[in-house]
Amino acid sequence: MNDTDLGVYKAWDSLLIGVHEFTDLLQGAWNMFDSTSTAAQPIGGAVIPDVCYTELFQRRYLFYGQCLLTFIVKIYGYVFIASMILGQLPQIFKVLKRRNGSGINVMSTLLMLEASSSTVAYSVWRQFPINTWGENLVFMLENVILVCLLLQYNRRPLSALMFMLLYVVVMLMLLLPLLPTTFLVSLHILSMPIFSISRVVQIYTNYRNQGTGQLSAASAFLSIFHSFGRFTSSLLLTMDKVLILTFVQAGVLNLVLTAQIVYYRRKEKKAKRLS
């Protein structure tokens, strides 16, 4: 098996492990509340420690050490993956409905795409549990769609096609990986300032336009929810300083952006009432 085959296996294996962990958690929770269950197979150390399985699901003792907290955080991570399916959908639907991407900075969206893409590639390489980064996979795909829509509605369909092809090639190179792992780590470390720059660019665009255009308030609010949740789950599950700092600065900037949307929307409504 060559390096490319190993890279493909590693990427898919990480996703399959995450799905397996989630089904094991559901089975364990079912066993806990099903008094007729005779299942005795532990969920194992990959999901929660064996001793926690014994205390929570067999003896039904909820306050053994930090076992309940560990279990809740695991479930918490999968809830965030599910919630982020809705993350950029309000923004995508708003652009589709209005057939207009005014107010949304394309460069800001591209930078956010780089940040989420490098997080996915880095987490797959490090083989982190999927519930600590899986929503970035959803966010990455949604940003790809959003970039294509923005280019399309800016009357640049050829640019949208070229972007899609180039992006697929780059992601394959990161996931396999065909690039040195030092480059992958550096790219992910850079995702922190890159994400910050993306938000600052959008915040500046809003300030310059004195409005937020087609920016979705729902997507901005969900971004705050996501950042806070990801900070807590990464703190408890991975203790990876790069991931933790990423979500801290993301939360602060998302809060500023959301406040900006609320302020300019109220200002616009007030101006309409006075006119």
Side-chain angles (χ1 to χ4, degrees):
M1 184 179 292
N2 57 37
D3 291 342
T4 300
D5 292 334
L6 285 172
V8 174
Y9 173 80
K10 187 175 181 181
W12 282 109
D13 187 53
S14 180
L15 295 177
L16 291 174
I17 287 173
V19 174
H20 177 67
E21 287 184 2
F22 182 59
T23 56
D24 280 344
L25 281 171
L26 293 179
Q27 182 63 49
W30 174 264
N31 293 340
M32 183 178 181
F33 297 105
D34 181 9
S35 60
T36 64
S37 175
T38 59
Q41 292 296 323
I43 341 181
V47 182
I48 61 174
D50 291 343
V51 63
C52 288
Y53 174 84
T54 301
E55 297 297 329
L56 290 178
F57 300 120
Q58 293 182 341
R59 297 181 60 188
R60 294 176 172 82
Y61 179 55
L62 299 181
F63 303 104
Y64 181 82
Q66 294 187 343
C67 289
L68 182 61
L69 177 62
T70 301
F71 178 73
I72 290 173
V73 169
K74 284 284 186 177
I75 292 293
Y76 193 48
Y78 289 110
V79 168
F80 274 102
I81 294 175
S83 69
M84 281 310 294
I85 294 175
L86 303 176
Q88 284 288 73
L89 285 184
Q91 185 65 79
I92 292 171
F93 287 149
K94 188 170 185 179
V95 172
L96 283 171
K97 181 180 179 180
R98 305 289 176 82
R99 302 184 68 82
N100 186 344
S102 63
I104 305 174
N105 191 289
V106 178
M107 181 56 66
S108 172
T109 308
L110 284 170
L111 291 172
M112 283 195 297
L113 177 59
E114 188 283 331
S116 59
S117 300
S118 61
T119 298
V120 169
Y122 176 78
S123 300
V124 169
W125 172 64
R126 290 290 304 272
Q127 295 184 310
F128 287 145
I130 194 173
N131 63 316
T132 64
W133 59 270
E135 82 288 348
N136 278 284
L137 179 62
V138 178
F139 192 60
M140 177 184 77
L141 296 174
E142 289 174 340
N143 274 321
V144 169
I145 295 171
L146 186 58
V147 170
C148 290
L149 288 175
L150 293 176
L151 292 174
Q152 177 69 29
Y153 291 137
N154 284 336
R155 298 181 180 180
R156 298 167 65 184
L158 184 59
S159 296
L161 178 61
M162 294 300 295
F163 158 75
M164 178 63 74
L165 294 175
L166 179 61
Y167 179 76
V168 169
V169 171
V170 171
M171 278 308 296
L172 286 175
M173 293 176 68
L174 291 175
L175 289 171
L176 288 179
L178 299 178
L179 299 173
T181 53
T182 52
F183 175 80
L184 184 60
V185 173
S186 300
L187 190 64
H188 181 61
I189 292 174
L190 286 174
S191 70
M192 288 192 294
I194 286 175
F195 185 89
S196 299
I197 292 170
S198 76
R199 281 320 202 196
V200 169
V201 167
Q202 185 61 63
I203 290 169
Y204 175 74
T205 299
N206 296 340
Y207 173 76
R208 185 186 60 195
N209 296 339
Q210 289 296 294
T212 54
Q214 303 305 318
L215 280 178
S216 169
S219 289
F221 178 78
L222 285 170
S223 294
I224 297 176
F225 177 70
H226 159 255
S227 298
F228 174 75
R230 276 302 147 229
F231 164 73
T232 56
S233 62
S234 295
L235 182 65
L236 293 170
L237 290 177
T238 69
M239 293 301 295
D240 186 276
K241 293 180 180 179
V242 174
L243 283 176
I244 292 170
L245 289 174
T246 298
F247 294 125
V248 168
Q249 55 87 25
V252 172
L253 290 170
N254 284 327
L255 184 61
V256 172
L257 185 62
T258 303
Q260 204 176 38
I261 292 174
V262 172
Y263 170 76
Y264 284 121
R265 295 285 165 82
R266 288 183 176 178
K267 187 177 179 180
E268 290 171 3
K269 288 180 180 179
K270 185 177 180 180
K272 287 180 181 180
R273 286 197 299 265
L274 294 176
S275 61

